[in-house]
Amino acid sequence: MRSESSGVVLRDQKHPEVSLSIKDVDSGAQLVAGLTSTLDPDEALRIRRKIDRHVMPLMCALYWIQFMDKTTLGYASILGIQQSTNLTTNEYNWLGTAFYLGYLLFEYPQNLALQRFPVGKWMSINIFVWAVALACHAACKNFSGLLVVRLMLGVCEGSITAGFLIVSSMFYTRTEQTLRVGYWFLMNGTAQIIAGFISFGVLHINTKGFEPWQWLMIITGVITAILAISFWFLFPDSPTSAWFLTPDERVKAVQRIKENQTGVENKRFKMEQMIEALTDPKTWLFALFSALNNVPNSLTNQQSLIIASFGFSALQTTLLSCVPGILEILTIFTGVQLAARRPNSRAYIGAMYFVPSWFGILLVNLLPWSNQAGLLVSQFLSETSVPGFVLSLSWLNNVTAGHTKRVVTNAIMLSAYCVGNATGPLMWKDQYKPRNHVPWAVIGACYVACPVLLLVIRAVLVRENQIRDAEPVDDSEIYVIERITEDGKRVEVKIDKEFLDLTDRQNRDFRYVL
């Protein structure tokens, strides 16, 4: 019989003086409390496949759309937006920065909202608002109008990656998260390919009074609005309430992620967990990596202009801009597959993918300007380091426990991501053209520092695991929650430590994956 909990308390039987409200424990605790049976591996696999069928297509579609929407500015540069709106080079660069300023200013509020409100519904609202903002680009006539809509895009997108990290940790085990985060992130590459072909198509539209770049904004805005409506009705908020799972399957879905020791979610904001996140060294190491790794991301909006500067026509440039998308798909897919197949290798694999970028940066600076093909290949090589950031996202999710702590660390890392992305466009100045030696030097320095940081993070986590391995094991603690059954009786049922919403520091049984 499924019992309803009311006035539930949590007690540590070893220390009976400890008494906590049910609000302090994980939302999945009530589903799995009292379970003594183990989950059959075949049944766990069936549940995972069912989750994949309903969750992953929507996540991949949204990440494809959001990246395509974000990079429309880069494609619009080839389609005439600078001439139509009388943008200077600095103003164009500031539009790239403005997006991430909006993202940065609202990243923490977005994460708090994701904890407070149903994740799927909150993201749906943000997707719809950004669809409207994207379509409104077509009505802008000057820098001021574009600045406003770019800021709004950034505000709304702040909910997406953070929300996806939370959802991934709710539904998947640690190893599965590495793959799934990679799968939805590689949709960025797909977006570059599709956006390139859409740009190629709209370049052939001849409408009096309505230019190709305006059609690009309208088309992508409509696609985004359709997805927003689909998300509202189809995307789950949590495995404890997923519409496509039966009540029994919801229990098994929560039981399946027990090994993560991170639970599902907790809607109560815990100040002590926020303080722990702010004082945890690994939080800031990941944040520094995120900031430095994303300064070079300014290439996203500069890519079309750089390729065109090599001497390619507008049509050739729109098609060649698809190549980095193909490279991103290949590098992310191979990177997450390697990380999933080779345990505790995230740092090594992430660092490895920076090596081709080093060669690309050297060649794009040293090859003669007349070597068009060589410069083009060098430009493409410089963008192979993406797996490092993708692995860092799932890695941070894997090594952080406590829902409030996870929300805060995600906010810090994604805020650092915004800082890198917001400062990057400002280094592309007219005086550095056409070779852009200064921006390339900055990108090279970042790509040297990033793999070093990954290895430092690994060393810190190895040391912490060694300290915990040396501590005596205490299995004497037993936790229970008190329930009121349907017939009014009070019963106590055992609850596993994994669902107490403890942080990775509080739970000494927690081990950091590497």
Side-chain angles (χ1 to χ4, degrees):
M1 180 185 297
R2 176 61 58 196
S3 57
E4 300 295 330
S5 51
S6 174
V8 190
V9 296
L10 174 73
R11 294 204 302 274
D12 172 356
Q13 291 184 347
K14 182 181 178 184
H15 306 290
E17 70 278 4
V18 177
S19 180
L20 299 172
S21 166
I22 191 63
K23 294 179 180 179
D24 290 315
V25 301
D26 189 82
S27 64
Q30 297 183 60
L31 285 181
V32 297
L35 286 180
T36 56
S37 59
T38 58
L39 184 60
D40 179 68
D42 291 335
E43 180 66 2
L45 180 61
R46 185 186 70 81
I47 298 292
R48 193 206 74 194
R49 287 173 174 167
K50 189 172 186 180
I51 292 169
D52 278 341
R53 288 196 302 272
H54 289 86
V55 173
M56 287 305 297
L58 285 169
M59 293 179 82
C60 289
L62 179 57
Y63 223 72
W64 158 56
I65 290 292
Q66 67 89 22
F67 191 82
M68 184 173 68
D69 292 351
K70 181 168 59 179
T71 56
T72 48
L73 182 65
Y75 292 100
S77 67
I78 298 298
L79 300 176
I81 191 172
Q82 288 174 281
Q83 294 76 19
S84 296
T85 56
N86 300 311
L87 294 177
T88 65
T89 299
N90 281 339
E91 285 174 339
Y92 175 79
N93 291 339
W94 266 106
L95 292 179
T97 296
F99 175 90
Y100 290 103
L101 286 178
Y103 196 134
L104 174 62
L105 292 173
F106 281 82
E107 183 57 29
Y108 187 62
Q110 285 281 20
N111 274 269
L112 291 181
L114 286 167
Q115 181 176 21
R116 177 66 180 84
F117 303 114
V119 176
K121 301 299 184 291
W122 182 254
M123 283 196 292
S124 301
I125 293 170
N126 278 275
I127 299 165
F128 189 80
V129 173
W130 114 42
V132 174
L134 186 64
C136 286
H137 278 62
C140 295
K141 303 298 182 183
N142 52 41
F143 171 71
S144 299
L146 288 169
L147 183 67
V148 172
V149 291
R150 294 297 295 178
L151 281 167
M152 186 56 65
L153 281 183
V155 169
C156 295
E157 202 206 320
S159 67
I160 304 306
T161 301
F164 276 13
L165 290 174
I166 291 172
V167 170
S168 296
S169 66
M170 285 181 182
F171 283 95
Y172 295 107
T173 65
R174 293 195 206 187
T175 301
E176 292 167 356
Q177 286 176 47
T178 299
L179 290 170
R180 270 71 187 172
V181 170
Y183 293 158
W184 51 255
F185 204 98
L186 66 77
M187 297 309 293
N188 286 358
T190 306
Q192 291 183 59
I193 298 169
I194 295 174
F197 283 114
I198 292 176
S199 300
F200 182 79
V202 299
L203 194 59
H204 293 81
I205 298 177
N206 295 309
T207 308
K208 188 176 181 180
F210 211 74
E211 299 194 23
W213 69 267
Q214 292 173 301
W215 278 115
L216 175 66
M217 299 301 182
I218 293 294
I219 291 170
T220 51
V222 170
I223 294 172
T224 306
I226 293 171
L227 185 62
I229 297 169
S230 301
F231 240 73
W232 179 272
F233 292 105
L234 299 177
F235 197 75
D237 298 309
S238 163
T240 61
S241 60
W243 64 270
F244 56 85
L245 296 176
T246 65
D248 181 59
E249 288 174 336
R250 291 172 187 170
V251 174
K252 292 174 180 177
V254 173
Q255 193 179 6
R256 208 178 68 83
I257 62 165
K258 176 181 174 181
E259 67 181 69
N260 293 352
Q261 300 200 58
T262 57
V264 178
E265 66 174 341
N266 187 297
K267 291 299 184 184
R268 176 173 168 265
F269 186 85
K270 300 180 180 180
M271 183 61 68
E272 67 277 11
Q273 290 196 13
M274 184 188 80
I275 294 171
E276 181 177 317
L278 294 174
T279 56
D280 192 334
K282 75 175 184 294
T283 299
W284 300 105
L285 287 171
F286 274 107
L288 181 58
F289 171 84
S290 181
L292 293 178
N293 189 74
N294 282 284
V295 170
N297 206 33
S298 56
L299 284 168
T300 301
N301 286 328
Q302 298 295 327
Q303 179 177 268
S304 296
L305 296 174
I306 293 173
I307 293 174
S309 73
F310 295 157
F312 294 98
S313 68
L315 286 175
Q316 290 171 327
T317 299
T318 56
L319 291 176
L320 287 171
S321 295
C322 299
V323 176
I326 297 171
L327 283 174
E328 186 164 338
I329 292 171
L330 293 174
T331 53
I332 292 177
F333 182 80
T334 55
V336 297
Q337 287 290 334
L338 285 170
R341 294 171 189 273
R342 299 184 65 85
N344 297 323
S345 61
R346 291 166 177 80
Y348 299 140
I349 292 169
M352 178 181 71
Y353 277 88
F354 283 93
V355 177
S357 294
W358 297 345
F359 287 108
I361 292 168
L362 285 173
L363 290 172
V364 83
N365 281 277
L366 298 177
L367 287 175
W369 193 244
S370 59
N371 190 343
Q372 188 184 54
L375 290 170
L376 185 64
V377 172
S378 302
Q379 161 79 12
F380 294 154
L381 272 179
S382 68
E383 300 183 52
T384 59
S385 60
V386 183
F389 182 66
V390 177
L391 290 173
S392 74
L393 284 176
S394 60
W395 195 10
L396 177 63
N397 225 27
N398 291 164
V399 298
T400 307
H403 195 72
T404 298
K405 183 177 181 180
R406 197 182 313 139
V407 164
V408 174
T409 53
N410 285 346
I412 291 171
M413 183 160 184
L414 292 173
S415 295
Y417 159 87
C418 293
V419 170
N421 276 290
T423 55
L426 302 179
M427 65 186 177
W428 299 91
K429 298 184 180 295
D430 279 335
Q431 62 260 39
Y432 301 141
K433 293 180 178 180
R435 296 306 300 253
N436 292 306
H437 288 308
V438 172
W440 282 116
V442 174
I443 291 173
C446 291
Y447 280 170
V448 169
C450 285
V452 173
L453 279 169
L454 288 177
L455 298 176
V456 169
I457 292 170
R458 190 183 195 280
V460 169
L461 298 181
V462 165
R463 175 61 180 156
E464 180 59 30
N465 282 344
Q466 290 173 342
I467 292 172
R468 296 183 182 209
D469 289 342
E471 293 174 353
V473 178
D474 185 2
D475 294 327
S476 59
E477 292 180 339
I478 300 175
Y479 301 91
V480 298
I481 59 173
E482 186 180 81
R483 279 181 175 162
I484 299 177
T485 63
E486 293 174 352
D487 56 3
K489 293 182 180 179
R490 291 182 177 272
V491 295
E492 290 185 345
V493 290
K494 182 180 176 182
I495 179 175
D496 292 317
K497 190 176 184 179
E498 291 84 351
F499 295 102
L500 297 183
D501 193 36
L502 299 176
T503 67
D504 51 280
R505 280 187 173 179
Q506 293 170 333
N507 182 5
R508 304 307 292 178
D509 293 333
F510 189 95
R511 291 297 182 272
Y512 297 103
V513 295
L514 307 172

